[in-house]
Amino acid sequence: MMMLPQAKLVCAVTPRVPTPDRSCAFLGCAATFLILSCSGGKVLAQSATPGTTMLKPVVVEADVREPLERRFDALPGGAARVSREELPDSANLTIARTLETVPGVVVQNFFGGNDQPRIQIRGSGLQQNPVERGILVLQDGLPLNRADGSYIVGLANPGLASSIEIYRGYMANRLGATVLGGAMNLVSPNGAEQPGFGAEISAGSFDQRSAVARAGFAGESMDGMLQAGHDQRDGFRDYNQSRRDSFEGNVAWQLSERVKTRLFVGYTDLDFDVSGPITKAQLKADPSRVHDGPTVTPEGAINPGPDVLHDRPGRRSESWLIGSRTSIEFGAHLWDVVLGYTHTDDVFRFPMASGERVTRGGDATGVLRYAWRGDAERALPLFEFTTQYIDGSADRENYLNAAGERGALFGESRLSAETLTVHAGFNIPLGEHWSLAPGLDYSSAKRRNDDRYTAATRPTIAYNPANPAMQLPNGAVPAVSTRYARSYDGWSPSLALTFQPDPHNTFFAALSRSFEPPTHDDLLATVNGTPYSSAGRPQPPNPGLVADVFRIPALKAQKATTAELGWRADHESFGVDAVVYRSEVRNELLSLRDESGSSLGAINADKTIHSGIELGARKSLGKRTRARLVWTWQDFHFDNDPLRGDNDLAGAPRQIITAALDHELTGSWSLQGVVRWIPERTPVDNMNTVWSDSWAVTDLRTRYRFNDNLTLFAEVTNLFDRKYAASTLVVDLARPDQAAFIPGDGRGAFVGLKLRL
């Protein structure tokens, strides 16, 4: 899944957002040392791969893969594509499972088994809880990010994707990214590549139930695809239900030999409980439970953290997406024009320290891409240009969380954002084996909040920490305006050198800059709450104490300079995808929390260092056995910070290892073992006082093909029923007894069927 054919000059483009109601295991795989071979796929009109626009779908067979492989191999940076054939046959196909074999992508389950993970690439957006910034997430080249850069990862459904493309670091700049980490594009199937009917059903532990159905057609000059998906589960933990319903459709017209247009529409309805963190002692004793708030003792409160069953935190999001993409080819000149609009309703009920946040709004996106191929024998265009503009606005309301019910309004805002990105770059041949790729990016971002709250005071609410059923007298604090208007702009140059001594090996070196403006969630934070009192009430028994309800920090844009070296090898029996990088980051955006998990708002760190190794490898061990290894090593730390010294940044595992062994027992029956291993402790806080332990988890999968149309699959996850923290809260200074650990699922068994007609 790391080395794949690529194609086209693509587009980027329409955002998404959220909505309201509705109702030592490693030894078992120690023999695996390198990665599954990549199978051929089809060139998709929705791909976001830089290169050449293909107006007609091309089936990639063994005798015609060479041009596409050359395009991919020529990319001077980290990139990967996971085809549908490479996706695991899983009854619970989460983003984490989908990307487990992509080097450099760290995906941690965050809400207790729901498909709402924390995703970070090279540490970008690492410290948000949950992560809603740091990478550009696209579907068919259309951004799921809002105009301010924020996104809801659960709106991306890997079960409806035919492939997933990952662009690490500056490789995402040409797609319109303004982040350190990179971009992820989920590519939907189309009727030309998958005509006919297909369906998948599965069920298993934790009351997991999933179903996907799709129908495609292809004509002389037209093709189309409709698909729908439903998945739900009660969950491994208490208060852990989730549901996602998705619908997608696309239709394309070949208007002429030079022009093709594809229209997209999508809808996602997402609803899930937030089980929240527990203490380390609770994790070891019973990871299926939820935290029930601090314990009051004569010496003071211990075990700080949210009271989940009291506050009933959860999220309900609904998103509509519509877009069009037109590809035009005039000889060596290639154009892509994309227009899109997304409307999202999002209701996020946080623990009562933050309250309930309701956001409703839309974002319009336009993208223009141009490429001049120059020499048609070359893998990449000689020149490429992209400009992307996103304009969005949303109405946001903040309500008190009154014991799991919507309480009084305490904030009302009109949020608006504009983001413009421009990329221009060359791919200049220097003889037969060398090429030089200079590039220049410009980003401009505006963030504005108009405070529409008209009352003179903001209400507060609190409950007795010793008796959470007892409500304390209500309070109020002066209503200080939250209005702000911020503008950010910056230039990001890049320069890369590529050496291809033969068709199977590529070496590259690159130096680049990145520019990442803050989101509205960075600029507008609820503060001064506790597990039993609302924002603006740091002392629950004292309703008259005056404190800020919102914090509006004067944040700078995050900037980084990154140097990287890489090697890709793609041979018949083995392959390698390796990148070493170092980023010197200035003004890194950090979202801080206190020892109870309550928000402290965002800050800019002065200087931080992000270094890492991203290694993926595959190896055929005979005709029927394949092995793969993915190793991501990362060292993210402060650089002589006045308060934190050279401490590690919280929340970043030092090493993440995934090893897999795939064996075909017969031509129809295959087995697979996968081990996910975190071999070192992970810091929970930036002060490096509390750590999450190392762990290893083993999954077993099997698949039996009755014929070309019917496949049975089954899996056992967490085979040895390991108790472990899949992720943690990220806080500035933690306590050893703090509820900061998010458990991974216990042992589960699942079975499913795939049908193709």
Side-chain angles (χ1 to χ4, degrees), residues 92-112:
N92 186 22
L93 188 60
T94 62
I95 288 287
R97 284 188 171 86
T98 300
L99 301 179
E100 65 186 10
T101 53
V102 179
V105 181
V106 179
V107 187
Q108 300 168 290
N109 291 324
F110 194 73
F111 286 127

Side-chain angles (χ1 to χ4, degrees), residues 31-68:
T32 61
F33 179 63
L34 296 151
I35 261 193
L36 260 177
S37 43
C38 302
S39 51
K42 298 184 180 181
V43 180
L44 307 177
Q46 303 95 317
S47 169
T49 307
T52 305
T53 300
M54 295 288 196
L55 294 183
K56 297 181 180 179
V58 177
V59 179
V60 183
E61 305 292 354
D63 58 344
V64 295
R65 279 189 63 185
E66 175 84 19
L68 298 178

